[in-house]
Coordinates of all heavy atoms in Angstrom, one line a residue:
M1 N 15.7 -58.4 -10.7 CA 16.9 -59.2 -10.7 C 16.5 -60.6 -11.1 O 15.6 -61.2 -10.6 CB 17.6 -59.1 -9.3 CG 18.8 -59.9 -9.3 SD 19.6 -60.0 -7.7 CE 20.6 -58.6 -7.7
S2 N 17.3 -61.2 -11.9 CA 17.1 -62.6 -12.4 C 18.1 -63.5 -11.8 O 19.3 -63.3 -11.8 CB 17.2 -62.6 -14.0 OG 17.1 -63.9 -14.4
F3 N 17.6 -64.7 -11.3 CA 18.5 -65.7 -10.8 C 18.4 -67.0 -11.6 O 17.3 -67.4 -11.9 CB 18.1 -66.1 -9.3 CG 18.3 -64.9 -8.4 CD1 17.3 -64.1 -8.1 CD2 19.6 -64.7 -7.9 CE1 17.5 -63.1 -7.2 CE2 19.8 -63.7 -7.0 CZ 18.7 -62.8 -6.6
G4 N 19.6 -67.5 -12.0 CA 19.6 -68.8 -12.7 C 18.9 -68.8 -14.0 O 18.5 -69.8 -14.5
G5 N 18.9 -67.7 -14.7 CA 18.3 -67.6 -16.0 C 16.8 -67.8 -16.1 O 16.3 -68.2 -17.1
L6 N 16.1 -67.6 -15.0 CA 14.7 -67.8 -14.9 C 13.9 -66.6 -15.4 O 12.7 -66.7 -15.6 CB 14.2 -68.2 -13.5 CG 14.6 -69.5 -13.0 CD1 14.2 -69.7 -11.6 CD2 14.1 -70.6 -13.9
G7 N 14.5 -65.5 -15.6 CA 13.8 -64.3 -16.0 C 12.8 -63.9 -14.9 O 13.2 -63.8 -13.7
G8 N 11.6 -63.8 -15.2 CA 10.5 -63.5 -14.2 C 9.8 -64.7 -13.6 O 8.9 -64.5 -12.8
A9 N 10.2 -65.8 -14.1 CA 9.5 -67.1 -13.6 C 9.7 -67.2 -12.1 O 10.8 -67.0 -11.6 CB 10.1 -68.3 -14.3
G10 N 8.6 -67.6 -11.4 CA 8.7 -67.9 -10.0 C 8.6 -66.7 -9.1 O 8.8 -66.8 -7.9
L11 N 8.4 -65.5 -9.7 CA 8.3 -64.3 -8.9 C 6.8 -64.1 -8.5 O 5.9 -64.2 -9.3 CB 8.8 -63.1 -9.7 CG 10.2 -63.1 -10.1 CD1 10.5 -61.8 -10.9 CD2 11.1 -63.2 -8.9
G12 N 6.7 -63.9 -7.2 CA 5.3 -63.7 -6.7 C 5.1 -62.2 -6.6 O 5.8 -61.4 -7.2
P13 N 4.1 -61.8 -5.8 CA 3.8 -60.4 -5.6 C 5.0 -59.6 -5.1 O 5.7 -60.2 -4.2 CB 2.6 -60.4 -4.6 CG 2.1 -61.8 -4.6 CD 3.2 -62.7 -5.1
G14 N 5.2 -58.5 -5.5 CA 6.3 -57.6 -5.1 C 7.6 -58.1 -5.6 O 8.7 -57.6 -5.2
G15 N 7.6 -59.0 -6.6 CA 8.9 -59.4 -7.2 C 9.7 -60.4 -6.4 O 10.8 -60.6 -6.7
K16 N 9.1 -60.9 -5.4 CA 9.8 -61.9 -4.5 C 9.7 -63.3 -5.1 O 8.7 -63.7 -5.7 CB 9.3 -61.9 -3.1 CG 9.5 -60.6 -2.4 CD 9.1 -60.7 -0.9 CE 9.4 -59.4 -0.2 NZ 9.0 -59.4 1.2
M17 N 10.7 -64.1 -5.0 CA 10.7 -65.5 -5.5 C 10.0 -66.4 -4.5 O 10.1 -66.2 -3.3 CB 12.2 -66.0 -5.6 CG 13.0 -65.2 -6.7 SD 14.6 -65.7 -6.8 CE 14.4 -67.3 -7.5
D18 N 9.2 -67.3 -5.1 CA 8.5 -68.2 -4.2 C 9.4 -69.4 -3.8 O 10.4 -69.6 -4.3 CB 7.2 -68.7 -4.9 CG 7.4 -69.5 -6.2 OD1 8.4 -70.2 -6.2 OD2 6.6 -69.4 -7.1
D19 N 9.0 -70.1 -2.7 CA 9.8 -71.1 -2.1 C 10.1 -72.2 -3.1 O 11.3 -72.7 -3.1 CB 9.1 -71.7 -0.9 CG 9.0 -70.7 0.3 OD1 9.8 -69.7 0.2 OD2 8.3 -71.0 1.2
S20 N 9.2 -72.6 -4.0 CA 9.5 -73.7 -4.9 C 10.5 -73.3 -5.9 O 11.4 -74.1 -6.3 CB 8.2 -74.2 -5.6 OG 7.7 -73.1 -6.4
T21 N 10.5 -72.1 -6.4 CA 11.6 -71.6 -7.3 C 12.9 -71.6 -6.6 O 13.9 -72.1 -7.2 CB 11.2 -70.2 -7.8 OG1 9.9 -70.2 -8.4 CG2 12.3 -69.7 -8.8
I22 N 13.0 -71.2 -5.4 CA 14.2 -71.1 -4.7 C 14.8 -72.6 -4.5 O 15.9 -72.8 -4.7 CB 14.1 -70.4 -3.3 CG1 13.8 -68.9 -3.5 CG2 15.3 -70.6 -2.4 CD1 13.4 -68.2 -2.3
M23 N 13.9 -73.5 -4.1 CA 14.3 -74.9 -3.9 C 14.8 -75.5 -5.2 O 15.8 -76.2 -5.2 CB 13.1 -75.7 -3.4 CG 12.8 -75.5 -1.9 SD 14.2 -75.8 -0.8 CE 14.4 -77.5 -1.0
E24 N 14.2 -75.2 -6.3 CA 14.6 -75.7 -7.6 C 16.0 -75.2 -7.9 O 16.9 -75.9 -8.5 CB 13.6 -75.4 -8.7 CG 12.4 -76.2 -8.7 CD 12.6 -77.7 -8.7 OE1 13.4 -78.2 -9.6 OE2 12.0 -78.4 -7.9
Q25 N 16.2 -73.9 -7.7 CA 17.6 -73.3 -7.9 C 18.6 -74.0 -7.0 O 19.7 -74.3 -7.5 CB 17.5 -71.8 -7.7 CG 16.8 -71.1 -8.8 CD 16.8 -69.6 -8.5 OE1 17.2 -69.1 -7.5 NE2 16.3 -68.9 -9.5
V26 N 18.3 -74.2 -5.8 CA 19.2 -74.9 -4.8 C 19.5 -76.3 -5.3 O 20.7 -76.7 -5.4 CB 18.7 -74.8 -3.4 CG1 19.5 -75.7 -2.5 CG2 18.6 -73.4 -2.9
K27 N 18.5 -77.0 -5.7 CA 18.7 -78.4 -6.2 C 19.6 -78.4 -7.4 O 20.5 -79.2 -7.6 CB 17.4 -79.0 -6.6 CG 16.6 -79.5 -5.4 CD 15.2 -80.1 -5.8 CE 14.3 -80.4 -4.7 NZ 13.1 -81.0 -5.1
S28 N 19.4 -77.5 -8.3 CA 20.2 -77.4 -9.6 C 21.6 -77.1 -9.2 O 22.5 -77.7 -9.8 CB 19.6 -76.3 -10.5 OG 20.3 -76.1 -11.6
Q29 N 21.8 -76.1 -8.3 CA 23.2 -75.8 -7.9 C 23.9 -77.0 -7.3 O 25.1 -77.2 -7.5 CB 23.2 -74.6 -7.0 CG 22.8 -73.3 -7.8 CD 22.7 -72.1 -6.8 OE1 22.7 -72.2 -5.6 NE2 22.4 -70.9 -7.4
L30 N 23.2 -77.7 -6.4 CA 23.8 -78.9 -5.8 C 24.1 -80.0 -6.8 O 25.2 -80.6 -6.7 CB 22.8 -79.4 -4.7 CG 22.7 -78.6 -3.4 CD1 21.6 -79.2 -2.5 CD2 24.0 -78.6 -2.7
Q31 N 23.2 -80.2 -7.8 CA 23.5 -81.2 -8.8 C 24.8 -80.8 -9.6 O 25.6 -81.6 -9.8 CB 22.3 -81.3 -9.7 CG 21.2 -82.1 -9.1 CD 20.0 -82.1 -10.0 OE1 19.8 -81.3 -10.9 NE2 19.1 -83.0 -9.7
M32 N 24.9 -79.5 -9.9 CA 26.1 -79.1 -10.7 C 27.3 -79.3 -9.8 O 28.4 -79.7 -10.3 CB 25.9 -77.6 -11.0 CG 27.1 -77.1 -11.8 SD 27.3 -78.0 -13.4 CE 26.2 -77.1 -14.4
Q33 N 27.3 -79.0 -8.5 CA 28.4 -79.1 -7.6 C 28.8 -80.6 -7.6 O 30.0 -81.0 -7.6 CB 28.0 -78.6 -6.2 CG 29.1 -78.8 -5.2 CD 30.2 -77.8 -5.3 OE1 30.0 -76.7 -5.9 NE2 31.4 -78.1 -4.8
M34 N 27.8 -81.5 -7.5 CA 28.1 -82.9 -7.4 C 28.7 -83.4 -8.7 O 29.7 -84.2 -8.6 CB 26.8 -83.7 -7.1 CG 26.3 -83.5 -5.7 SD 24.6 -84.2 -5.4 CE 24.8 -85.9 -5.8
V35 N 28.3 -83.0 -9.8 CA 28.9 -83.4 -11.1 C 30.3 -82.9 -11.2 O 31.2 -83.7 -11.6 CB 28.0 -82.8 -12.3 CG1 28.8 -82.9 -13.6 CG2 26.7 -83.5 -12.4
Q36 N 30.6 -81.7 -10.8 CA 31.9 -81.1 -10.8 C 32.8 -81.9 -9.9 O 34.0 -82.3 -10.2 CB 32.0 -79.7 -10.4 CG 31.4 -78.8 -11.5 CD 31.2 -77.3 -11.1 OE1 31.3 -77.0 -9.9 NE2 31.0 -76.5 -12.0
E37 N 32.4 -82.2 -8.7 CA 33.2 -83.0 -7.7 C 33.4 -84.4 -8.3 O 34.5 -85.0 -8.1 CB 32.5 -83.1 -6.4 CG 32.5 -81.8 -5.6 CD 31.8 -81.8 -4.3 OE1 31.5 -82.9 -3.8 OE2 31.6 -80.7 -3.7
F38 N 32.4 -85.0 -8.9 CA 32.5 -86.4 -9.5 C 33.7 -86.4 -10.5 O 34.6 -87.2 -10.4 CB 31.2 -86.8 -10.1 CG 31.4 -88.1 -10.9 CD1 31.5 -89.3 -10.3 CD2 31.4 -88.0 -12.3 CE1 31.7 -90.5 -11.1 CE2 31.6 -89.1 -13.1 CZ 31.7 -90.4 -12.5
Y39 N 33.6 -85.4 -11.4 CA 34.6 -85.4 -12.5 C 36.0 -85.1 -12.0 O 37.0 -85.6 -12.5 CB 34.2 -84.5 -13.7 CG 33.2 -85.2 -14.5 CD1 31.9 -84.9 -14.5 CD2 33.6 -86.3 -15.3 CE1 30.9 -85.5 -15.3 CE2 32.6 -87.0 -16.1 CZ 31.3 -86.6 -16.1 OH 30.4 -87.3 -16.8
Q40 N 36.1 -84.3 -10.9 CA 37.4 -84.0 -10.3 C 37.9 -85.2 -9.7 O 39.1 -85.6 -9.8 CB 37.3 -82.9 -9.3 CG 38.6 -82.5 -8.7 CD 38.5 -81.3 -7.8 OE1 37.5 -80.6 -7.8 NE2 39.5 -81.1 -7.0
T41 N 37.1 -86.0 -9.0 CA 37.5 -87.2 -8.3 C 38.0 -88.2 -9.4 O 39.0 -88.9 -9.2 CB 36.4 -87.8 -7.5 OG1 36.0 -86.8 -6.5 CG2 36.8 -89.1 -6.8
V42 N 37.2 -88.4 -10.4 CA 37.5 -89.4 -11.5 C 38.8 -89.0 -12.1 O 39.7 -89.8 -12.3 CB 36.4 -89.4 -12.5 CG1 36.8 -90.2 -13.7 CG2 35.1 -90.0 -11.9
R43 N 39.0 -87.7 -12.4 CA 40.2 -87.2 -13.1 C 41.4 -87.5 -12.2 O 42.4 -88.1 -12.6 CB 40.1 -85.7 -13.4 CG 41.3 -85.2 -14.1 CD 41.4 -83.7 -14.1 NE 41.6 -83.2 -12.8 CZ 41.0 -82.2 -12.2 NH1 40.1 -81.5 -12.9 NH2 41.3 -81.8 -11.0
D44 N 41.3 -87.2 -10.9 CA 42.4 -87.4 -10.0 C 42.8 -88.9 -9.9 O 43.9 -89.3 -10.0 CB 42.1 -86.8 -8.6 CG 42.0 -85.3 -8.6 OD1 42.4 -84.7 -9.6 OD2 41.5 -84.8 -7.6
K45 N 41.7 -89.7 -9.7 CA 42.0 -91.2 -9.5 C 42.5 -91.8 -10.8 O 43.5 -92.6 -10.7 CB 40.7 -91.9 -9.1 CG 40.3 -91.6 -7.6 CD 39.1 -92.4 -7.2 CE 38.7 -92.0 -5.8 NZ 39.6 -92.5 -4.8
C46 N 42.0 -91.4 -11.9 CA 42.5 -92.0 -13.2 C 43.9 -91.5 -13.5 O 44.7 -92.3 -14.0 CB 41.5 -91.7 -14.3 SG 39.9 -92.5 -14.2
F47 N 44.2 -90.3 -13.3 CA 45.6 -89.8 -13.5 C 46.5 -90.6 -12.6 O 47.6 -91.0 -13.1 CB 45.7 -88.3 -13.3 CG 45.4 -87.6 -14.6 CD1 44.2 -87.5 -15.1 CD2 46.5 -86.9 -15.3 CE1 44.0 -86.8 -16.3 CE2 46.3 -86.3 -16.4 CZ 45.0 -86.2 -17.0
K48 N 46.2 -90.8 -11.3 CA 47.1 -91.5 -10.5 C 47.3 -93.0 -10.9 O 48.4 -93.5 -10.8 CB 46.5 -91.5 -9.0 CG 46.8 -90.2 -8.3 CD 46.3 -90.3 -6.9 CE 46.4 -89.0 -6.1 NZ 45.9 -89.1 -4.8
A49 N 46.2 -93.6 -11.4 CA 46.3 -95.0 -11.8 C 47.0 -95.1 -13.2 O 47.6 -96.2 -13.4 CB 44.8 -95.5 -11.9
C50 N 46.9 -94.2 -14.0 CA 47.3 -94.3 -15.4 C 48.7 -93.7 -15.7 O 49.4 -94.1 -16.7 CB 46.3 -93.8 -16.4 SG 44.8 -94.8 -16.4
L51 N 49.0 -92.7 -15.0 CA 50.3 -91.9 -15.4 C 51.4 -92.2 -14.4 O 51.3 -91.8 -13.2 CB 50.0 -90.4 -15.5 CG 48.9 -90.0 -16.4 CD1 48.7 -88.5 -16.4 CD2 49.2 -90.5 -17.8
S52 N 52.4 -92.8 -14.8 CA 53.5 -93.1 -13.9 C 54.5 -92.0 -13.8 O 55.1 -91.8 -12.7 CB 54.2 -94.4 -14.4 OG 54.7 -94.3 -15.7
S53 N 54.7 -91.3 -14.9 CA 55.6 -90.1 -14.8 C 55.1 -89.0 -15.7 O 54.7 -89.2 -16.9 CB 57.0 -90.5 -15.3 OG 56.9 -91.0 -16.7
P54 N 54.9 -87.8 -15.1 CA 54.4 -86.7 -15.8 C 55.3 -86.3 -17.0 O 56.5 -86.4 -16.8 CB 54.2 -85.6 -14.8 CG 54.8 -86.1 -13.6 CD 55.2 -87.5 -13.7
G55 N 54.8 -85.8 -18.0 CA 55.6 -85.3 -19.1 C 54.8 -84.2 -19.9 O 53.8 -83.8 -19.5
S56 N 55.4 -83.9 -21.0 CA 54.8 -82.8 -21.8 C 53.6 -83.3 -22.7 O 52.8 -82.5 -23.2 CB 55.8 -82.1 -22.6 OG 56.4 -83.0 -23.5
S57 N 53.5 -84.6 -22.8 CA 52.4 -85.2 -23.6 C 52.1 -86.6 -23.1 O 52.8 -87.2 -22.3 CB 52.8 -85.2 -25.1 OG 53.9 -86.1 -25.3
L58 N 50.9 -87.1 -23.5 CA 50.5 -88.4 -23.1 C 50.8 -89.4 -24.2 O 50.6 -89.2 -25.3 CB 49.0 -88.4 -22.9 CG 48.4 -87.5 -21.8 CD1 46.9 -87.5 -21.8 CD2 48.9 -88.0 -20.4
S59 N 51.3 -90.5 -23.7 CA 51.6 -91.6 -24.7 C 50.2 -92.2 -25.1 O 49.2 -92.0 -24.4 CB 52.5 -92.7 -24.0 OG 51.8 -93.4 -23.0
S60 N 50.2 -93.0 -26.1 CA 49.0 -93.7 -26.6 C 48.5 -94.6 -25.5 O 47.3 -94.7 -25.3 CB 49.2 -94.4 -27.9 OG 50.1 -95.4 -27.8
S61 N 49.4 -95.3 -24.8 CA 48.9 -96.2 -23.7 C 48.3 -95.4 -22.5 O 47.4 -95.9 -21.9 CB 50.1 -97.1 -23.3 OG 51.1 -96.4 -22.7
D62 N 48.9 -94.3 -22.2 CA 48.4 -93.4 -21.2 C 47.0 -93.0 -21.6 O 46.0 -93.0 -20.8 CB 49.2 -92.2 -20.9 CG 50.6 -92.5 -20.2 OD1 50.7 -93.6 -19.7 OD2 51.5 -91.7 -20.3
Q63 N 46.8 -92.6 -22.8 CA 45.5 -92.1 -23.3 C 44.4 -93.2 -23.2 O 43.3 -93.0 -22.8 CB 45.6 -91.6 -24.7 CG 46.3 -90.3 -24.8 CD 46.5 -89.8 -26.3 OE1 46.0 -90.4 -27.2 NE2 47.3 -88.7 -26.4
K64 N 44.8 -94.4 -23.6 CA 43.9 -95.6 -23.6 C 43.5 -95.9 -22.1 O 42.4 -96.1 -21.9 CB 44.6 -96.8 -24.3 CG 44.6 -96.7 -25.7 CD 45.3 -97.9 -26.3 CE 45.5 -97.7 -27.8 NZ 46.3 -98.9 -28.4
C65 N 44.5 -95.9 -21.3 CA 44.2 -96.1 -19.9 C 43.3 -95.1 -19.3 O 42.3 -95.5 -18.6 CB 45.5 -96.2 -19.1 SG 45.3 -96.5 -17.3
L66 N 43.5 -93.8 -19.6 CA 42.7 -92.8 -19.1 C 41.2 -92.9 -19.6 O 40.3 -92.8 -18.9 CB 43.2 -91.4 -19.4 CG 44.4 -90.9 -18.6 CD1 45.1 -89.7 -19.2 CD2 44.1 -90.7 -17.2
N67 N 41.1 -93.2 -20.9 CA 39.8 -93.4 -21.5 C 39.1 -94.6 -20.9 O 37.9 -94.4 -20.5 CB 39.9 -93.6 -23.0 CG 40.3 -92.3 -23.7 OD1 39.9 -91.2 -23.3 ND2 40.9 -92.4 -24.9
R68 N 39.7 -95.7 -20.7 CA 39.1 -96.8 -20.0 C 38.7 -96.5 -18.6 O 37.6 -96.9 -18.2 CB 40.0 -98.1 -20.1 CG 40.1 -98.7 -21.4 CD 40.8 -100.1 -21.3 NE 42.1 -100.0 -20.8 CZ 43.2 -100.0 -21.5 NH1 43.2 -100.1 -22.8 NH2 44.4 -99.9 -20.9
C69 N 39.6 -95.9 -17.9 CA 39.3 -95.5 -16.5 C 38.1 -94.6 -16.4 O 37.2 -94.9 -15.6 CB 40.5 -94.9 -15.9 SG 40.3 -94.4 -14.1
M70 N 38.0 -93.6 -17.2 CA 36.9 -92.6 -17.2 C 35.6 -93.4 -17.6 O 34.6 -93.1 -17.0 CB 37.2 -91.5 -18.1 CG 38.4 -90.7 -17.8 SD 38.3 -89.3 -16.7 CE 37.1 -88.3 -17.3
D71 N 35.7 -94.2 -18.6 CA 34.5 -95.0 -19.0 C 34.0 -95.9 -17.9 O 32.8 -96.0 -17.7 CB 34.8 -95.8 -20.3 CG 35.0 -95.0 -21.5 OD1 34.6 -93.8 -21.5 OD2 35.6 -95.5 -22.5
R72 N 34.9 -96.5 -17.2 CA 34.5 -97.4 -16.1 C 33.7 -96.6 -15.0 O 32.7 -97.0 -14.5 CB 35.6 -98.1 -15.5 CG 36.1 -99.3 -16.3 CD 37.0 -100.2 -15.5 NE 38.2 -99.5 -14.9 CZ 39.4 -99.4 -15.5 NH1 39.6 -100.0 -16.7 NH2 40.4 -98.7 -14.9
Y73 N 34.3 -95.4 -14.7 CA 33.6 -94.6 -13.7 C 32.3 -94.1 -14.2 O 31.3 -94.1 -13.4 CB 34.5 -93.4 -13.3 CG 35.4 -93.6 -12.2 CD1 36.7 -94.0 -12.4 CD2 35.0 -93.5 -10.8 CE1 37.6 -94.2 -11.3 CE2 35.8 -93.7 -9.8 CZ 37.2 -94.1 -10.0 OH 38.0 -94.3 -9.0
Q74 N 32.2 -93.8 -15.4 CA 30.9 -93.3 -16.0 C 29.9 -94.4 -16.0 O 28.7 -94.2 -15.6 CB 31.1 -92.8 -17.4 CG 29.9 -92.1 -18.0 CD 29.4 -90.9 -17.2 OE1 30.2 -90.0 -16.9 NE2 28.2 -90.8 -16.8
D75 N 30.3 -95.6 -16.4 CA 29.4 -96.8 -16.4 C 28.9 -97.1 -15.0 O 27.7 -97.4 -14.8 CB 30.1 -98.0 -17.0 CG 30.4 -97.9 -18.5 OD1 29.7 -97.0 -19.1 OD2 31.2 -98.7 -19.0
A76 N 29.8 -97.1 -14.0 CA 29.4 -97.3 -12.6 C 28.4 -96.3 -12.1 O 27.5 -96.6 -11.5 CB 30.7 -97.4 -11.7
T77 N 28.7 -95.0 -12.5 CA 27.8 -94.0 -12.1 C 26.4 -94.2 -12.7 O 25.4 -93.9 -12.0 CB 28.3 -92.6 -12.5 OG1 29.6 -92.5 -11.8 CG2 27.4 -91.5 -12.1
N78 N 26.3 -94.5 -14.0 CA 25.1 -94.8 -14.6 C 24.3 -95.9 -13.9 O 23.1 -95.8 -13.8 CB 25.3 -95.1 -16.1 CG 25.7 -93.9 -16.9 OD1 25.6 -92.8 -16.5 ND2 26.3 -94.2 -18.1
V79 N 25.0 -97.0 -13.6 CA 24.3 -98.1 -12.9 C 23.8 -97.7 -11.6 O 22.6 -97.9 -11.2 CB 25.3 -99.3 -12.7 CG1 24.7 -100.3 -11.8 CG2 25.7 -99.9 -14.1
I80 N 24.6 -96.9 -10.8 CA 24.2 -96.5 -9.5 C 23.0 -95.5 -9.6 O 22.0 -95.6 -8.9 CB 25.3 -95.8 -8.7 CG1 26.4 -96.9 -8.4 CG2 24.8 -95.1 -7.5 CD1 27.7 -96.3 -7.9
T81 N 23.0 -94.6 -10.6 CA 21.9 -93.7 -10.8 C 20.6 -94.4 -11.1 O 19.6 -94.0 -10.6 CB 22.3 -92.7 -11.9 OG1 23.5 -92.0 -11.6 CG2 21.2 -91.7 -12.2
K82 N 20.7 -95.4 -12.0 CA 19.5 -96.2 -12.3 C 18.9 -96.9 -11.1 O 17.7 -96.9 -10.9 CB 19.8 -97.2 -13.4 CG 20.0 -96.6 -14.8 CD 20.4 -97.6 -15.8 CE 20.7 -96.9 -17.1 NZ 21.1 -97.9 -18.2
V83 N 19.8 -97.4 -10.3 CA 19.3 -98.1 -9.1 C 18.6 -97.1 -8.1 O 17.6 -97.4 -7.6 CB 20.5 -98.8 -8.4 CG1 20.1 -99.3 -7.0 CG2 21.0 -100.0 -9.2
V84 N 19.3 -96.0 -7.9 CA 18.7 -95.0 -7.0 C 17.3 -94.5 -7.5 O 16.4 -94.3 -6.8 CB 19.7 -93.8 -6.8 CG1 19.0 -92.7 -6.1 CG2 20.9 -94.3 -6.0
I85 N 17.3 -94.2 -8.8 CA 16.0 -93.7 -9.4 C 14.9 -94.7 -9.3 O 13.8 -94.4 -9.1 CB 16.3 -93.3 -10.9 CG1 17.1 -92.0 -11.0 CG2 14.9 -93.1 -11.6 CD1 17.5 -91.6 -12.3
N86 N 15.2 -96.0 -9.5 CA 14.2 -97.1 -9.5 C 13.8 -97.5 -8.1 O 12.9 -98.3 -7.9 CB 14.7 -98.3 -10.2 CG 14.8 -98.0 -11.7 OD1 14.0 -97.2 -12.3 ND2 15.7 -98.6 -12.4
Q87 N 14.4 -96.9 -7.0 CA 14.0 -97.3 -5.6 C 12.7 -96.7 -5.2 O 12.3 -95.7 -5.5 CB 15.1 -96.9 -4.7 CG 16.3 -97.8 -4.8 CD 17.3 -97.5 -3.7 OE1 17.2 -96.5 -3.0 NE2 18.3 -98.4 -3.6

């Protein structure tokens, strides 16, 4: 059985996965979860900030506001990530 697209990588004797392979898979899954939660949070906050009334389409000003809002969140995340990595 293959987990996370690793094929036979990380399998020890008897076809069991070693601890480091399992830890890497868990880390990868946690990172994916964090990214998904981040973008859901950004989407929700930006939509609340930029859209006053829902409709069938976005106005150009709504689109610009959403783009700026998402860009600000991404920039802030990049800054925070660099600080954490450099510690």
Side-chain angles (χ1 to χ4, degrees):
M1 179 186 270
S2 173
F3 294 97
L6 290 175
L11 295 180
K16 294 185 179 181
M17 296 177 68
D18 62 34
D19 289 344
S20 64
T21 301
I22 293 170
M23 285 302 294
E24 286 303 314
Q25 288 180 351
V26 169
K27 286 180 185 178
S28 177
Q29 290 173 356
L30 286 173
Q31 287 174 339
M32 182 60 83
Q33 179 78 21
M34 289 171 56
V35 168
Q36 290 173 346
E37 288 178 14
F38 168 77
Y39 281 108
Q40 182 175 346
T41 300
V42 170
R43 183 192 68 223
D44 293 346
K45 289 184 181 285
C46 289
F47 268 72
K48 281 182 183 178
C50 294
L51 304 178
S52 57
S53 60
S56 60
S57 64
L58 296 174
S59 69
S60 63
S61 62
D62 289 341
Q63 290 176 5
K64 287 178 185 176
C65 180
L66 286 170
N67 286 333
R68 283 193 301 263
C69 182
M70 302 270 307
D71 287 345
R72 283 195 304 266
Y73 270 97
Q74 187 63 51
D75 290 344
T77 301
N78 290 340
V79 168
I80 292 168
T81 301
K82 287 178 185 176
V83 169
V84 169
I85 288 172
N86 291 328
Q87 285 186 352

